[in-house]
């Protein structure tokens, strides 16, 4: 482990990261996987648009990607809340 265990789990971002750690071990085919795939596609679209020097499409794709990443984090925080005790021991 690179970073120490967090002092508490009150922060939303902490729960999201811990939830993602749990989620990655199981990789369920759920809404989070679809949202993550869509965010990846939006990121690739943003990169291609930026490479072609198309500012408006690059900015729009970046906004979509960031919005989807926030949805993904919300899903991961919820996943952590539901599964936090299942993987202990």
């Amino acid at each position: 482990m690179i970073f120490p265990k967090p002092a508490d789990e009150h922060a939303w971002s902490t729960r999201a990261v811990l939830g993602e750690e749990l989620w990655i071990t199981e990789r369920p085919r759920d809404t989070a996987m679809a949202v993550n795939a869509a965010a990846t596609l939006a990121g690739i679209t943003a990169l291609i648009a930026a490479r072609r020097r198309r500012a408006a499409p690059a900015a729009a794709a970046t906004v979509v990607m960031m919005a989807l990443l926030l949805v993904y984090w919300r899903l991961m925080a919820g996943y952590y809340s539901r599964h936090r005790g299942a993987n202990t021991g």
Side-chain angles (χ1 to χ4, degrees):
M1 182 177 276
I2 296 173
F3 298 104
K5 188 173 181 172
D8 59 55
E9 300 167 0
H10 296 300
W12 176 69
S13 58
T14 299
R15 292 191 311 274
V17 169
L18 293 173
E20 186 176 29
E21 287 178 357
L22 290 175
W23 184 80
I24 284 173
T25 61
E26 297 178 9
R27 280 290 189 187
R29 293 188 178 189
D30 58 2
T31 303
M33 185 170 280
V35 170
N36 194 19
T40 300
L41 181 61
I44 291 169
T45 302
L47 286 172
I48 291 169
R51 175 74 175 118
R52 293 180 180 169
R53 297 184 179 174
R54 309 257 329 189
T62 299
V63 167
V64 169
M65 178 186 70
M66 293 308 297
L68 288 170
L69 285 175
L70 289 173
V71 169
Y72 175 76
W73 280 14
R74 181 172 160 244
L75 291 169
M76 292 298 100
Y79 189 86
Y80 180 72
S81 295
R82 289 188 307 275
H83 296 91
R84 76 175 119 204
N87 289 354
T88 58

